[in-house]
Amino acid sequence: MDYSFYDFLRLVGSLSMFLFGMKMMSEALQKVAGSKLKDILGVMTSNRFFGLLTGFLVTTVIQSSSATTVLVVSFVNAGLISLSESIGVIMGANIGTTVTGWIISILGFSADISALALPAIGIALPLIFSKRNTLHSWGEFLMGISLLFMGLDFLKASVPNISNSPDILSFLQSYTENGYLSILLFLLIGTVLTIVIQSSSATMALTFVMCSQGWIPFEMAAAMVMGENIGTTVTANIAASVGNISARRAALVHLVFNLIGILWLLILFYPFTDLVEYVTVYISGSSPRTNIEEIPLALAVFHSIFNISNALIFIWFTRFIERIVMTLLPKGKEEEEEFHLRFITTGMLSTSELSQLQAKKEISFFATHTRKMFGFVRSLTKEDVTDADFEKIYARIEKYERISDNVEMEIASYLSKVNQGKLSDLGRSRNKAMLKIVGEIESIGDANYSVARILNRVRSQKMEFTPELKSKIELMFDIIEKALNVMVDNLSNDDYSCDIAAANECESNINAYRNQEKAENFESVKNNLYPYEMGVYFTDILQECEELGDYVINVSEALDEV
């Protein structure tokens, strides 16, 4: 066998050029699309078919199912979409990634596209040096696609020639004629290659080249393509490993969905490949089993039919897949689902008035979430809370505060879009009120976090409030909790009715109690009943609670105005 280490390095270099070109092209397209990609992915509703279409379109544009899935995982991690909403998008991404196979099959093997690569680079270079971001990104796209096809051309020239190296053929043949064992072996090879290379497109190109050189027959190449479907799920699972449980579940959906698809395909492998052969013969007039030149086309057909069939079958079983994933990754005792938008979407709106109703429901749920956050703050003052429990509760409060910031932005963005539609004068007044309310609710979350930070400083300094101060703090918390309950009740009324009298009473009680205790605290510190520093922390908590009460009454007042 006349194949040196230098030839091997050429093979690695060719594959690296292909990978770099794919990466540059994908990233450039994402820059061109800009925030629109996130907007498209943000159009997540309970409509699984719309999610499927969204995943397909985004992946077709950026040519990377891994990038799409990682974006979806990040959305789930931020609590902006639910696990069930992400499943359709992930299925669509699987279909979108098949476009790569068609591009390589038609352009990379049926035409000498590499001849156009150098002229394309000549056009791309001036664009890359452009100061306009859009032109710069298009230049990177042209450069990336040129490098991609140059790498593919070099790859075809770098693999060892079977006719000059018959020992390679005999080595491969010994593993290709063992029925299902061979299929499983090449499925494993495709999986491992994709995990190592971190690109199913690159593995697909390598598979095409191996077939065009006569290394492996059509069936084994199809098994490698099946393995690539599994290997490509690794990227999202790596990205989700540092995320929360919802993100890890979303990444696991991609793996479970592909594994279930592989299982049914293995059972029907030979009838399925017969169908692919029939379609290929219909398109080209030649069979991939007798003409190796048709194998790239047959693999593109195989990949497309499999992923489309898989999605169309399991789109009806998204709840089943969700249950499998939740069983495999159960929620821990201390862990809970992230808060996310339930009633509105970040994309296309229905009628403006109906959209307002959706937004109001979302705001009501947001308020309930913030009241729950105050419950965590109260639990920090319990006597039986250990240091480990305190840290866990405090971390949960920090998480809730971050999520509140994200949710406020999403609801405010939605309301801004509603405001651009046709609204009555009353509708505009309601929209203005809701924009104010969502900001006040987020401020309540900030106030909750401020109280928690004060309690954390007290504990970190090994201080402890006297029993009398503890009871006074608990009494203030009782008044705040009552005010929060009134606010949530007011927001729950679909007709915008508001018990402003009850809200004002709570606000008056908060202010009166704060003023009373502030004066008493001054006297207590003066008489050395407790240290000055403890008195400062006590008044700080009262002040934060008073500000929290202001935000609460602002919500009810905004409702009362409409």
Side-chain angles (χ1 to χ4, degrees):
M1 173 181 172
D2 186 20
Y3 193 74
S4 65
F5 183 67
Y6 170 76
D7 295 321
F8 173 73
L9 288 180
R10 282 187 47 159
L11 177 66
V12 173
S14 303
L15 187 60
S16 300
M17 180 181 284
F18 178 93
L19 270 174
F20 182 71
M22 175 66 73
K23 182 175 183 290
M24 180 179 282
M25 182 186 74
S26 175
E27 289 179 352
L29 283 170
Q30 291 180 59
K31 289 177 186 176
V32 171
S35 60
K36 291 180 181 178
L37 272 182
K38 289 189 176 181
D39 289 340
I40 293 171
L41 275 174
V43 184
M44 305 296 178
T45 67
S46 56
N47 188 328
R48 65 193 81 177
F49 299 98
F50 197 71
L52 183 77
L53 180 62
T54 302
F56 167 72
L57 290 176
V58 172
T59 307
T60 300
V61 169
I62 64 177
Q63 281 299 288
S64 173
S65 61
S66 296
T68 304
T69 310
V70 167
L71 270 175
V72 171
V73 167
S74 68
F75 271 52
V76 175
N77 186 67
L80 298 179
I81 61 172
S82 67
L83 176 64
S84 60
E85 290 166 345
S86 70
I87 296 176
V89 187
I90 292 170
M91 290 180 177
N94 262 27
I95 300 175
T97 196
T98 63
V99 175
T100 307
W102 285 100
I103 293 173
I104 297 173
S105 172
I106 296 171
L107 298 180
F109 282 83
S110 302
D112 188 15
I113 195 72
S114 61
L116 300 175
L118 287 176
I121 291 175
I123 297 171
L125 197 61
L127 295 177
I128 287 176
F129 287 104
S130 172
K131 293 182 180 180
R132 292 181 59 185
N133 290 335
T134 304
L135 290 177
H136 178 83
S137 298
W138 279 116
E140 288 184 336
F141 167 74
L142 280 175
M143 181 71 75
I145 200 168
S146 300
L147 291 175
L148 186 152
F149 284 110
M150 286 178 67
L152 185 61
D153 198 49
F154 286 137
L155 194 61
K156 288 188 286 185
S158 299
V159 295
N161 193 322
I162 290 294
S163 59
N164 297 332
S165 309
D167 51 330
I168 293 179
L169 181 61
S170 61
F171 168 77
L172 289 172
Q173 281 181 335
S174 63
Y175 291 101
T176 59
E177 299 177 354
N178 296 319
Y180 267 97
L181 285 177
S182 296
I183 293 170
L184 292 173
L185 174 63
F186 279 88
L187 186 150
L188 179 63
I189 292 171
T191 303
V192 172
L193 273 176
T194 307
I195 291 173
V196 172
I197 300 173
Q198 279 293 290
S199 170
S200 59
S201 300
T203 311
M204 176 78 77
L206 194 58
T207 306
F208 283 6
V209 171
M210 291 168 68
C211 293
S212 67
Q213 296 293 320
W215 285 29
I216 54 176
F218 165 63
E219 284 82 1
M220 299 306 106
M224 285 187 66
V225 171
M226 291 162 60
E228 291 154 16
N229 261 33
I230 300 174
T232 194
T233 64
V234 172
T235 304
N237 279 276
I238 292 173
S241 62
V242 294
N244 54 43
I245 188 170
S246 296
R248 296 197 300 274
R249 284 173 174 173
L252 187 60
V253 163
H254 198 194
L255 176 60
V256 169
F257 169 64
N258 280 336
L259 282 175
I260 294 174
I262 295 299
L263 286 176
W264 73 257
L265 185 56
L266 281 173
I267 297 171
L268 301 173
F269 184 77
Y270 287 108
F272 194 87
T273 51
D274 290 341
L275 171 65
V276 171
E277 180 185 24
Y278 174 81
V279 174
T280 307
V281 171
Y282 180 81
I283 295 173
S284 65
S286 182
S287 169
R289 288 187 169 114
T290 56
N291 184 358
I292 61 173
E293 292 181 359
E294 300 301 333
I295 293 182
L297 173 63
L299 290 180
V301 172
F302 177 89
H303 198 204
S304 297
I305 294 179
F306 166 54
N307 279 324
I308 291 172
S309 301
N310 210 28
L312 292 180
I313 291 170
F314 291 105
I315 194 67
W316 303 100
F317 301 97
T318 53
R319 298 293 181 190
F320 172 69
I321 294 174
E322 184 179 6
R323 283 198 295 271
I324 291 176
V325 170
M326 292 179 76
T327 302
L328 293 174
L329 274 180
K331 183 170 59 177
K333 291 181 181 179
E334 309 298 330
E335 212 161 6
E336 63 183 347
E337 290 293 338
E338 295 288 340
F339 172 73
H340 57 84
L341 303 182
R342 291 193 175 186
F343 300 100
I344 65 176
T345 67
T346 55
M348 296 179 66
L349 308 171
S350 50
T351 63
S352 297
E353 304 291 344
L354 182 58
S355 296
Q356 280 191 330
L357 180 60
Q358 293 174 319
K360 190 171 182 302
K361 288 182 178 179
E362 197 67 72
I363 291 171
S364 178
F365 183 59
F366 185 22
T368 305
H369 172 80
T370 310
R371 181 178 60 181
K372 185 177 181 181
M373 182 181 178
F374 180 72
F376 294 147
V377 175
R378 290 203 69 166
S379 63
L380 292 176
T381 61
K382 291 181 179 178
E383 302 223 355
D384 57 348
V385 174
T386 64
D387 288 341
D389 291 336
F390 189 96
E391 289 178 7
K392 288 179 182 178
I393 297 169
Y394 185 74
R396 181 174 291 183
I397 293 169
E398 285 184 311
K399 180 188 71 174
Y400 267 55
E401 199 277 330
R402 289 194 302 270
I403 295 173
S404 293
D405 291 341
N406 290 333
V407 172
E408 181 212 6
M409 291 175 62
E410 289 297 317
I411 298 177
S413 175
Y414 182 84
L415 287 169
S416 297
K417 292 177 183 177
V418 173
N419 211 39
Q420 295 169 10
K422 293 181 179 180
L423 285 170
S424 63
D425 291 339
L426 178 59
R428 294 203 177 278
S429 296
R430 287 175 173 174
N431 219 56
K432 183 180 177 181
M434 284 192 286
L435 279 168
K436 181 181 179 181
I437 288 169
V438 75
E440 297 294 342
I441 294 174
E442 192 278 328
S443 296
I444 293 171
D446 291 341
N448 279 329
Y449 184 43
S450 295
V451 175
R453 282 190 297 176
I454 295 170
L455 293 171
N456 187 44
R457 284 199 297 271
V458 171
R459 195 174 188 95
S460 64
Q461 293 180 19
K462 307 297 182 183
M463 295 179 63
E464 189 174 351
F465 289 116
T466 64
E468 184 181 1
L469 288 180
K470 282 183 180 179
S471 64
K472 289 181 177 181
I473 291 172
E474 285 300 316
L475 183 55
M476 174 59 96
F477 284 173
D478 287 340
I479 303 172
I480 292 291
E481 189 165 348
K482 183 178 180 181
L484 286 169
N485 290 336
V486 170
M487 179 192 74
V488 171
D489 289 342
N490 284 337
L491 285 169
S492 300
N493 299 323
D494 291 336
D495 58 355
Y496 292 86
S497 60
C498 173
D499 187 354
I500 192 65
N504 282 328
E505 182 183 354
C506 291
E507 167 67 2
S508 298
N509 291 339
I510 292 170
N511 290 338
Y513 189 72
R514 189 278 310 264
N515 293 335
Q516 172 191 322
E517 292 304 324
K518 193 174 180 180
E520 289 185 8
N521 177 69
F522 179 78
E523 292 298 324
S524 298
V525 172
K526 183 179 177 181
N527 296 326
N528 294 320
L529 296 181
Y530 43 78
Y532 172 79
E533 190 176 13
M534 185 180 294
V536 171
Y537 285 135
F538 174 65
T539 54
D540 284 348
I541 290 174
L542 293 180
Q543 185 61 35
E544 288 295 341
C545 287
E546 192 276 331
E547 290 182 10
L548 191 155
D550 288 343
Y551 301 134
V552 170
I553 190 62
N554 289 342
V555 171
S556 293
E557 286 178 346
L559 272 176
D560 189 54
E561 288 175 5
V562 295

